[in-house]
Short mmCIF file of all heavy atoms in Angstrom, two decimals:
data_model
loop_
_atom_site.label_atom_id
_atom_site.label_comp_id
_atom_site.label_asym_id
_atom_site.label_seq_id
_atom_site.Cartn_x
_atom_site.Cartn_y
_atom_site.Cartn_z
N GLU A 234 18.68 11.40 3.23
CA GLU A 234 19.15 11.03 4.60
C GLU A 234 18.19 10.16 5.14
O GLU A 234 17.10 10.41 5.53
CB GLU A 234 19.54 12.29 5.39
CG GLU A 234 20.54 13.15 4.65
CD GLU A 234 20.63 14.52 5.49
OE1 GLU A 234 20.00 14.82 6.36
OE2 GLU A 234 21.34 15.41 4.67
N ASP A 321 -14.78 8.74 -5.66
CA ASP A 321 -15.64 8.53 -6.87
C ASP A 321 -14.99 8.92 -8.12
O ASP A 321 -15.12 8.23 -9.14
CB ASP A 321 -16.95 9.11 -6.58
CG ASP A 321 -17.67 8.44 -5.41
OD1 ASP A 321 -17.32 7.18 -5.16
OD2 ASP A 321 -18.56 8.99 -4.79
N ALA A 366 -0.51 12.26 -9.74
CA ALA A 366 0.81 11.85 -10.38
C ALA A 366 0.95 10.38 -10.53
O ALA A 366 1.88 9.77 -11.06
CB ALA A 366 1.96 12.41 -9.57
#
Side-chain angles (χ1 to χ4, degrees):
E234 297 169 10
D321 294 335

